[in-house]
Amino acid sequence: MKDQVFHTEVQDDLVELEGLIANQKVNQWSTPNLVTTKLGSVLNGLWLGITTGDQLGTLTKKDKEILQRLYMKLHQFPKDELYRFTDLTETDKENFEELRAVLREVGWGMNIPIDKNFYKQAEELEGKIELPLRRE
């Protein structure tokens, strides 16, 4: 039960995010807001899981720290704001494509069976995302 939020609100969305980035790459980034909107869902799910887990006391100190670092690193990617889609630069697109490769590497991608511990995968992902991201 305690991990349910992370599985439904974060892990599934990360898998979808990977698929959306792949789709946008194939389609020359024709609808980038699909990616930036999904990233917003991932961030909301992470925040919900961190705050809920913290309030219920179900997160270990280590897991909370990992998830907070992951949140900070994902938060640096472009995301949509209320009533406004974000415009992506070429560097933003490259950063998302690198994120896609990292997601697949840690086991979160379309057509990849999910078999690892969520927190272990989150830690691997967090460790592989650059801080700060490259900018124009």
Side-chain angles (χ1 to χ4, degrees), residues 13-69:
D13 278 351
L14 284 168
V15 170
E16 285 179 42
L17 179 64
E18 183 277 330
L20 288 168
I21 295 168
N23 179 277
Q24 285 307 299
K25 185 176 178 179
V26 167
N27 292 301
Q28 283 75 49
W29 288 88
S30 57
T31 46
N33 60 295
L34 294 175
V35 171
T36 53
T37 301
K38 183 53 68 178
L39 178 65
S41 297
V42 169
L43 289 169
N44 289 341
L46 261 175
W47 189 251
L48 177 70
I50 292 167
T51 53
T52 306
D54 205 29
Q55 290 167 349
L56 297 175
T58 54
L59 278 181
T60 66
K61 186 174 187 289
K62 180 184 180 212
D63 289 341
K64 181 182 173 186
E65 287 170 1
I66 290 165
L67 295 171
Q68 286 175 326
R69 285 195 311 269

Side-chain angles (χ1 to χ4, degrees), residues 3-130:
D3 295 340
Q4 195 59 41
V5 169
F6 292 114
H7 291 291
T8 58
E9 301 292 327
V10 179
Q11 185 170 272
D12 293 352
D13 278 351
L14 284 168
V15 170
E16 285 179 42
L17 179 64
E18 183 277 330
L20 288 168
I21 295 168
N23 179 277
Q24 285 307 299
K25 185 176 178 179
V26 167
N27 292 301
Q28 283 75 49
W29 288 88
S30 57
T31 46
N33 60 295
L34 294 175
V35 171
T36 53
T37 301
K38 183 53 68 178
L39 178 65
S41 297
V42 169
L43 289 169
N44 289 341
L46 261 175
W47 189 251
L48 177 70
I50 292 167
T51 53
T52 306
D54 205 29
Q55 290 167 349
L56 297 175
T58 54
L59 278 181
T60 66
K61 186 174 187 289
K62 180 184 180 212
D63 289 341
K64 181 182 173 186
E65 287 170 1
I66 290 165
L67 295 171
Q68 286 175 326
R69 285 195 311 269
L70 178 59
Y71 181 88
M72 282 180 13
K73 286 186 174 184
L74 289 174
H75 200 271
Q76 60 180 341
F77 285 86
K79 58 210 145 304
D80 296 332
E81 294 168 28
L82 197 59
Y83 309 118
R84 193 176 78 82
F85 289 136
T86 300
D87 293 321
L88 296 184
T89 65
E90 286 308 308
T91 304
D92 291 334
K93 294 171 189 174
E94 290 167 16
N95 285 336
F96 271 120
E97 289 169 14
E98 287 170 20
L99 175 61
R100 176 187 177 239
V102 171
L103 284 166
R104 291 193 70 77
E105 209 176 297
V106 303
W108 281 331
M110 299 304 262
N111 304 315
I112 297 175
I114 295 174
D115 61 352
K116 285 188 192 167
N117 174 298
F118 172 82
Y119 299 101
K120 180 151 180 42
Q121 283 176 293
E123 185 173 24
E124 282 180 53
L125 178 61
E126 183 275 319
K128 292 174 186 282
I129 297 174
E130 287 180 44

